[in-house]
Amino acid sequence: ELAIIEQGSKSGKNKIFTVSYEFAKENNFEKDILRMNVKNSDIERFFLKERQNYLIYIDNNTDIKKCPNIYNYLSKHKKELSERNEVKQGLYSWFRFDRPRRKEIFDSPEKLVVPYRAEYNRFAYDNEQYFNDGGDIRAIVLKQGLTLNIKYNLGVLNSNLINWYYGFIGKPKGKSREYFNEPMSKIPVRTIDFNNPAEKATHDKLVSLVDKMLELHKKKNSMPPSSEREKIEREIAVTDEKIDEIVYGLYGVTEEERRVIEGEVA
């Protein structure tokens, strides 16, 4: 009801369509069809790790003639790319992705991304238009016309409460659980009555804490191990607790229920 969930794209030849920033620069690759690449292992709670790779993203709307340097690079791999099953069937051009998915979802100004498998809820915020190859992530964008801030959803999804809840609806896979479209679509997101000043204030407070969390992680990730970094880690833990407090309140969780959720009561 609130969001669109989309699987990551699949090129069918990850090693060819993924290139380093350095390689792209050296070969003067045209930036129009380059997208920063994200894989499931890059996704942490709230933030993304940078892998320094571009994805050469090509769908049916791509005019490859406008990208001669990239076309020349792909041409060197034409034989291998042409061996993909659906290319051999004549269903699409040899230089196109197997499964481009919906480009506009991944090009959204803001989205959330989550690995397709994880031991706990790891939803991250992306406002830099990262793309995926291999389909090992899911992207989430809010539907148009909603007043909810996507960072509100991020706080809710990464909360202790929803992490506990997803353990009941996410299909287990070894020690992990699957974050596929169907179970994620069943996560109950507490909506907000923006005409109610108290509810709007709670929404805005949660968004503010998520903003703080994103900034703290950015600072921490730019630092080597140090006492200053440890201080930021403590701030992150405190901010996490504040987010949990708000989410417990939003869902009307009692103190007794909270002890069960946090494993204090069997």
Side-chain angles (χ1 to χ4, degrees):
E1 295 168 353
L2 297 176
I4 298 165
I5 305 171
E6 181 76 349
Q7 185 180 8
S9 54
K10 296 179 182 179
S11 70
K13 284 295 175 184
N14 190 10
K15 66 178 182 179
I16 295 173
F17 285 96
T18 304
V19 296
S20 69
Y21 290 172
E22 186 179 358
F23 185 83
K25 186 178 179 181
E26 286 172 355
N27 290 275
N28 295 313
F29 280 180
E30 295 82 6
K31 291 187 177 180
D32 285 355
I33 59 174
L34 294 180
R35 293 294 186 275
M36 290 186 291
N37 185 29
V38 61
K39 299 289 288 177
N40 59 352
S41 58
D42 304 324
I43 302 172
E44 299 291 346
R45 287 179 72 246
F46 293 102
F47 71 95
L48 294 175
K49 293 186 289 187
E50 173 61 74
R51 65 170 40 232
Q52 303 284 310
N53 279 347
Y54 282 126
L55 188 62
I56 300 170
Y57 180 86
I58 300 175
D59 62 10
N60 284 336
N61 298 316
T62 305
D63 186 351
I64 196 67
K65 293 176 184 176
K66 291 182 178 179
C67 303
N69 294 332
I70 289 176
Y71 182 79
N72 288 339
Y73 160 73
L74 292 176
S75 295
K76 295 174 184 176
H77 303 279
K78 183 174 180 178
K79 184 176 184 297
E80 192 175 351
L81 292 173
S82 299
E83 289 170 356
R84 290 175 294 166
N85 187 45
E86 291 181 12
V87 176
K88 287 196 287 187
Q89 294 177 45
L91 297 177
Y92 53 81
S93 302
W94 62 268
F95 49 79
R96 203 204 80 169
F97 266 38
D98 269 354
R99 298 286 180 273
R101 307 299 179 192
R102 284 181 284 181
K103 181 173 179 284
E104 68 275 12
I105 299 296
F106 286 83
D107 260 340
S108 296
E110 292 183 299
K111 66 177 179 284
L112 306 182
V113 292
V114 63
Y116 79 124
R117 283 184 192 153
E119 291 184 24
Y120 55 87
N121 287 14
R122 280 173 24 213
F123 291 85
Y125 176 74
D126 170 33
N127 63 349
E128 297 188 81
Q129 295 75 54
Y130 278 84
F131 273 59
N132 172 246
D133 186 11
D136 59 357
I137 75 166
R138 297 295 183 275
I140 300 165
V141 296
L142 294 186
K143 291 185 176 178
Q144 290 186 346
L146 295 176
T147 311
L148 280 178
N149 188 311
I150 198 167
K151 291 174 184 173
Y152 166 87
N153 289 61
L154 181 58
V156 169
L157 292 170
N158 277 336
S159 69
N160 199 38
L161 173 62
I162 299 302
N163 180 62
W164 171 83
Y165 177 81
Y166 197 77
F168 296 98
I169 62 172
K171 183 180 176 182
K173 202 76 176 175
K175 291 183 178 180
S176 299
R177 41 204 197 182
E178 294 180 342
Y179 288 80
F180 290 166
N181 293 40
E182 186 179 349
M184 283 201 293
S185 70
K186 295 176 181 176
I187 297 173
V189 176
R190 167 69 151 80
T191 52
I192 296 292
D193 179 2
F194 283 92
N195 293 316
N196 182 323
E199 290 210 359
K200 183 182 182 303
T202 301
H203 168 275
D204 293 349
K205 176 64 176 173
L206 186 52
V207 170
S208 175
L209 285 169
V210 170
D211 272 327
K212 182 178 181 181
M213 184 69 90
L214 293 171
E215 189 58 38
L216 287 170
H217 276 296
K218 190 175 179 181
K219 280 184 184 176
K220 187 192 87 167
N221 295 335
S222 67
M223 290 180 170
S226 63
S227 58
E228 187 63 28
R229 183 180 168 117
E230 288 173 7
K231 181 183 174 186
I232 290 175
E233 287 172 348
R234 289 194 293 272
E235 280 190 71
I236 287 172
V238 169
T239 307
D240 234 346
E241 288 177 7
K242 289 178 179 178
I243 288 172
D244 282 337
E245 287 287 345
I246 288 178
V247 175
Y248 282 137
L250 280 167
Y251 287 81
V253 174
T254 66
E255 193 59 40
E256 186 179 355
E257 289 167 339
R258 179 172 172 168
R259 286 199 297 270
V260 172
I261 291 163
E262 295 182 355
E264 296 175 16
V265 178

